[in-house]
Amino acid sequence: MKNNYVFKNLANKEFVLGTDKQDIFFNMLDVMRKGNLTLFTQSFSDLVYLLEKDSYYIAHHLIVYKGKKAIFAGQLVRAFKAQLIDFIQHAINHDDLRPFLISSIFSQDYKRVFYLTEEGFYLYDVK
């Protein structure tokens, strides 16, 4: 399965490549799997105030399997908060919101992850 989604509307992005991409994505996914759902909303504006850091990772949530091994097949980029908010707002307004995982770049343990879908917006954390 080829993923052609490349975050073209996200300004000033920096792609994360190689094993870092896999590690960061699966760390984010672990927070969703093992963490607590602390917020669910259907309004993106309810999450904006929770984006407290200046820089974030955003990953297209796309996993493929090779045998029993899970492989992250999406793209992972670094972006500044202002551009990230503009990107998400544009995607919502143009009915192009994909499943995304978002976490702070400066969070060493990826303790807080935002999960965005067409159905709603979720916040997971691990304490």
Side-chain angles (χ1 to χ4, degrees):
M1 172 189 228
K2 183 167 171 118
N3 175 28
N4 295 318
Y5 192 77
V6 293
F7 291 96
K8 71 176 184 174
N9 292 320
L10 180 57
N12 300 322
K13 62 189 166 278
E14 179 185 339
F15 286 91
V16 178
L17 304 172
T19 57
D20 285 346
K21 177 174 106 168
Q22 296 288 321
D23 293 344
I24 292 166
F25 175 79
F26 284 110
N27 282 331
M28 292 166 66
L29 196 59
D30 279 347
V31 171
M32 287 178 51
R33 290 181 179 157
K34 298 174 185 173
N36 300 308
L37 175 62
T38 56
L39 178 68
F40 168 76
T41 182
Q42 292 183 317
S43 172
F44 177 64
S45 61
D46 291 344
L47 287 185
V48 171
Y49 78 95
L50 295 170
L51 295 169
E52 300 167 339
K53 303 292 184 179
D54 292 329
S55 299
Y56 288 86
Y57 291 116
I58 179 169
H60 182 209
H61 187 191
L62 184 62
I63 300 172
V64 296
Y65 291 88
K66 187 171 185 176
K68 293 183 178 183
K69 181 177 174 149
I71 300 168
F72 173 52
Q75 294 294 328
L76 176 74
V77 298
R78 292 180 189 101
F80 291 107
K81 176 181 170 179
Q83 284 85 13
L84 179 65
I85 291 170
D86 290 346
F87 168 76
I88 294 167
Q89 204 57 62
H90 181 271
I92 292 168
N93 293 341
H94 290 88
D95 200 28
D96 190 33
L97 185 65
R98 312 292 173 103
F100 294 123
L101 279 71
I102 299 171
S103 75
S104 168
I105 287 178
F106 302 111
S107 174
Q108 294 295 325
D109 298 319
Y110 307 101
K111 298 282 188 188
R112 176 181 261 190
V113 172
F114 300 90
Y115 181 49
L116 284 57
T117 69
E118 292 177 349
E119 292 81 34
F121 309 101
Y122 307 80
L123 174 60
Y124 294 87
D125 64 21
V126 176
K127 296 186 181 200

